[in-house]
Amino acid sequence: MSFIAFTNVHYSYPAVEGDIDENGNQIQPPVIFDHFNAELPGGFTSLVGPNGSGKSTFMLLAGGRILPLEGKVYLCGNDTAALTPEQRDLLASYIYQNMELETEEKVGDLLNYVYTNGVLKGKAKAIRNKDQDLLEEIKTVFELEKLTDKKLSNTSKGEHQRVLLAFSLLYGSESTFMDEPMFAMEEGQKQKALEYLKDFCAATETTIYISMHELDYTKKYAQNVMLFYPNHDIDFGTPEEVLTDEALEKAYGLPVAMLKHSESLTRSQLTEESDVLHS
C-alpha cells in the first residue's frame, strides 16, 4: 500500500475578494492540481522546484491541512477528509513555511510538553545511543541545550526553526511534512539536521517529506525526490534518476551552472535573474 495516494484530485485556492485585474474583473487563482493521481511511498523524500510550482500545496493536501475540491487524498490508507484533527495529527505533523509560534513559554518546557503529550508519551530511546533518551539526543543534535531557559518568543529565526524541527520529531507522528524548515539556519546546522532526519527516518520508519532549495543537499541526503515543474507536472524517483541537467533546466528555466550559483542567492534575486533571461 502506498503511503500517500492522490485520486483524481482537483485543487485551486479560493479567489481573494477585491483582487481584480485592470479591467475590474475578479482574478481567479490558477488550478494547482487538475485531476491529479499519484501513489507515493514512505521514506525520506525531498521536494524541489521553483516557487509557485505546487510543493507547498502538495504537502498541505498530503498532510490533511487542506482538502481537495474534488477527489480524495489518502494518508496511510486514511481519507484525509474523514479524519478528526486529533487523528490527523497522529498521522502527520507539519512545519509550515516561515512558521512562528508566539508564546512566552520557555523552550525547555515546550520540548517536554510536546514529548510527553504526543504519541511517544515521553518514553523513547535515542536512535544513535540506545542508552540515551530521545529528548536529550534531539536537544544535542539541534543545539538546543543553551536555549532551554529562553522564551520561544525571544529566539532568533534560526533558533526558532531548530525548535520546530525538534517538536516535529518529539511528537511522534507517523509522518512529518516540512516546508522549507531550515532556510535561516547556518550551513553546518542544516547538514547536521539533515543527516539526523535521514537517520531518524530509517531508524523509526517515520516518513518525512521536506521541501528545500539546496539541490546539493537533496542529492546527498534524500532517499527520493519530487521535482515540480511550473506547469505543476511532477517527476518522482531517486535523486540520480530525477535531478538531471535537462530536467532541472526545464523546471527552473535556468542553465544548470547558473542554477547551482542561485542556491546562494535570495529568492527575489533568483526571480529577477529568471525574468531577465525570459524577457
Side-chain angles (χ1 to χ4, degrees):
M1 182 180 67
S2 58
F3 193 87
I4 300 168
F6 281 55
T7 304
N8 203 33
V9 168
H10 184 85
Y11 190 83
S12 63
Y13 289 97
V16 178
E17 186 177 353
D19 192 6
I20 57 177
D21 63 20
E22 58 185 13
N23 298 317
N25 299 316
Q26 175 70 54
I27 295 176
Q28 298 297 328
V31 173
I32 308 298
F33 293 108
D34 186 15
H35 303 291
F36 174 66
N37 294 280
E39 293 189 3
L40 300 166
F44 188 29
T45 298
S46 174
L47 285 70
V48 299
N51 292 331
S53 56
K55 302 187 299 296
S56 296
T57 306
F58 171 85
M59 287 197 292
L60 288 167
L61 286 164
R65 269 53 185 184
I66 59 176
L67 300 176
L69 302 179
E70 298 177 28
K72 297 287 187 180
V73 176
Y74 297 93
L75 182 63
C76 305
N78 299 275
D79 180 355
T80 57
L83 297 172
T84 66
E86 293 77 16
Q87 291 171 330
R88 179 201 66 191
D89 291 344
L90 292 176
L91 292 175
S93 61
Y94 204 101
I95 299 178
Y96 293 88
Q97 187 176 111
N98 205 28
M99 182 176 179
E100 291 189 10
L101 301 178
E102 294 294 335
T103 176
E104 295 297 305
E105 295 291 326
K106 292 181 179 180
V107 169
D109 293 337
L110 291 168
L111 291 170
N112 282 314
Y113 180 84
V114 171
Y115 186 38
T116 57
N117 288 276
V119 178
L120 300 178
K121 302 302 179 186
K123 298 178 181 179
K125 297 294 184 182
I127 64 167
R128 292 175 173 171
N129 180 359
K130 297 301 183 181
D131 294 328
Q132 188 180 27
D133 185 79
L134 179 64
L135 176 57
E136 297 309 311
E137 179 176 72
I138 284 179
K139 284 181 183 178
T140 300
V141 170
F142 296 116
E143 301 178 16
L144 303 177
E145 301 101 324
K146 296 181 180 179
L147 301 181
T148 54
D149 290 328
K150 194 173 187 177
K151 293 179 180 179
L152 186 62
S153 58
N154 292 337
T155 57
S156 69
K157 183 60 182 175
E159 291 170 344
H160 202 98
Q161 288 185 300
R162 301 203 309 271
V163 173
L164 293 176
L165 286 168
F167 286 167
S168 68
L169 301 185
L170 289 171
Y171 188 79
S173 304
E174 289 192 41
S175 63
T176 182
F177 295 86
M178 304 177 175
D179 197 349
E180 296 185 37
M182 294 183 285
F183 73 88
M185 290 166 53
E186 297 176 2
E187 293 307 309
Q189 293 171 336
K190 289 181 183 180
Q191 295 194 57
K192 189 176 180 181
L194 286 166
E195 186 67 45
Y196 188 76
L197 291 176
K198 179 181 177 181
D199 291 348
F200 188 91
C201 179
T204 66
E205 298 186 349
T206 300
T207 287
I208 296 176
Y209 275 68
I210 180 172
S211 69
M212 52 185 172
H213 284 284
E214 297 90 347
L215 294 173
D216 284 345
Y217 291 166
T218 290
K219 294 174 182 178
K220 183 175 181 179
Y221 297 107
Q223 178 182 2
N224 296 305
V225 59
M226 298 180 72
L227 176 60
F228 288 68
Y229 294 90
N231 66 351
H232 308 303
D233 284 346
I234 302 171
D235 287 340
F236 181 91
T238 66
E240 294 76 17
E241 292 170 337
V242 173
L243 298 182
T244 64
D245 288 356
E246 180 182 3
L248 290 171
E249 290 182 358
K250 179 182 175 182
Y252 287 92
L254 292 170
V256 169
M258 184 177 290
L259 183 60
K260 290 181 179 179
H261 171 64
S262 74
E263 292 182 12
S264 64
L265 301 177
T266 65
R267 297 178 197 173
S268 60
Q269 288 173 316
L270 177 56
T271 300
E272 288 170 5
E273 290 204 16
S274 181
D275 290 343
V276 168
L277 285 173
H278 291 88
S279 62

